[in-house]
């Protein structure tokens, strides 16, 4: 499908359209766009599990943060994040985890503030942070990926502004993008009855977080989330199957169109 049929939501194509290696252990670095609604990570884990794929997700979120606030290098240090876990056998046994060659994560998804990439004062910090963090991620053997955030409600012009600004920096640093903003714009047109953004005009509803998780699944694994029977773990943190199926489709189509798959 020609992306121009969807209002020309972006004008810069990604140079890197996927990760080189399979992923299991993933670190998400961002802010409330990632951790609202109990976090995008359990949604992503659930979608993957429904397809027989085991993912291990770790989320580091700072409220209202830009990437400039995050010390990503410290998150990747040995004996830090994911250095231990408790067993799920009902005994809660403490287990220390050993990683071959000290590599903890296979991929790290980086998200800036919701308007940092296009803010006239903050965009330079965004560019500096992407360059620094992506180099630190690669130094551990992991692969970096940028998250493309969505437009505020009532500000549709932000879709293309964010898409192009984020893709531009991703291309400079040879990394792929998870195009959540494009999926939001597509789903809003195809499913106008579904609220993806809360009344604060920026944060995701549960449906928005589910769509975000579908985009992450498609972008990280290069597989469609379509057919997943997982629509949320809790009654108040789930979407109905019809809505979920529509969001799965919108996510996959947005990712495929953007990457030219």
């Amino acid at each position: 499908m020609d992306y121009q049929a969807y209002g020309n939501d972006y004008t810069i194509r990604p140079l890197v359209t996927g990760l080189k290696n399979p992923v299991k252990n993933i670190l998400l670095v961002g802010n409330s766009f990632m951790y609202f609604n109990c976090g995008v990570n359990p949604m992503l884990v659930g979608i993957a599990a429904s397809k027989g794929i085991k993912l291990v997700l770790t989320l580091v979120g700072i409220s209202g943060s830009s990437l400039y606030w995050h010390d990503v290098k410290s998150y990747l240090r040995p004996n830090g994040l994911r250095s231990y876990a408790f067993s799920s056998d009902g005994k809660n046994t403490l287990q220390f985890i050993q990683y071959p060659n000290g590599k903890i994560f296979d991929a790290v998804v980086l998200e800036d503030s919701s308007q940092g990439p296009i803010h006239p004062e903050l965009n330079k910090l965004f560019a500096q942070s992407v360059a620094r963090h992506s180099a630190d991620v690669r130094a551990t053997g992991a692969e970096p990926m940028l998250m493309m955030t969505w437009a505020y409600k009532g500000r549709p012009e932000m879709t293309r502004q964010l898409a192009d600004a984020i893709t531009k920096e991703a291309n400079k640093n040879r990394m792929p993008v998870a195009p959540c903003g494009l999926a939001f714009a597509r789903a809003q047109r195809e499913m106008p009855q579904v609220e993806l953004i809360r009344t604060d005009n920026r944060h995701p509803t549960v449906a928005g977080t589910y769509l975000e998780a579908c985009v992450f699944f498609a972008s990280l694994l290069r597989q469609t989330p379509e057919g997943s029977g997982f629509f949320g773990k809790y009654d108040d943190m789930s979407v109905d199957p019809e809505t979920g199926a529509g969001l799965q489709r919108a996510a996959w189509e947005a990712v495929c169109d953007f990457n030219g798959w």
Side-chain angles (χ1 to χ4, degrees), residues 50-239:
S50 73
K51 289 177 167 284
I53 300 169
K54 182 178 180 180
L55 296 180
V56 179
L57 270 291
T58 303
L59 191 159
V60 179
I62 303 174
S63 179
S65 74
S66 72
L67 283 173
Y68 182 73
W69 294 12
H70 284 278
D71 184 3
V72 173
K73 187 175 183 178
S74 74
Y75 304 157
L76 305 172
R77 71 189 187 280
N79 301 315
L81 298 181
R82 305 301 307 182
S83 59
Y84 64 83
F86 289 94
S87 66
S88 58
D89 59 3
K91 299 179 180 179
N92 290 325
T93 304
L94 179 62
Q95 300 173 319
F96 290 94
I97 306 171
Q98 299 296 321
Y99 296 93
N101 303 318
K103 177 185 173 184
I104 303 171
F105 301 104
D106 302 311
V108 180
V109 182
L110 304 168
E111 178 222 346
D112 202 77
S113 64
S114 58
Q115 57 178 317
I118 58 176
H119 191 281
E121 296 176 84
L122 298 179
N123 58 4
K124 294 182 179 61
L125 291 179
F126 169 64
Q128 294 169 12
S129 298
V130 172
R132 181 175 73 255
H133 295 331
S134 61
D136 288 340
V137 169
R138 290 192 173 101
T140 69
E143 295 184 70
M145 173 180 285
L146 275 181
M147 171 186 169
M148 180 195 300
T149 52
W150 48 85
Y152 293 173
K153 187 182 293 186
R155 295 278 306 280
E157 72 279 2
M158 286 180 67
T159 297
R160 184 168 67 176
Q161 293 170 357
L162 286 165
D164 286 351
I166 292 168
T167 306
K168 178 182 177 182
E169 294 308 319
N171 287 348
K172 283 183 182 178
N173 294 279
R174 306 296 298 184
M175 56 199 294
V177 177
C180 296
L182 300 182
F184 267 62
R186 179 183 290 265
Q188 285 168 341
R189 285 187 288 263
E190 294 182 347
M191 307 171 65
Q193 75 281 7
V194 178
E195 287 288 348
L196 299 175
I197 299 176
R198 293 181 178 272
T199 53
D200 67 1
N201 297 329
R202 58 186 67 186
H203 286 99
T205 61
V206 173
T209 295
Y210 186 81
L211 177 58
E212 182 184 357
C214 288
V215 174
F216 282 172
F217 179 87
S219 301
L220 288 162
L221 300 176
R222 202 163 180 162
Q223 294 185 36
T224 179
E226 293 172 294
S228 170
F230 179 86
F231 302 109
K233 190 172 182 180
Y234 307 106
D235 290 343
D236 59 345
M237 290 293 164
S238 62
V239 296

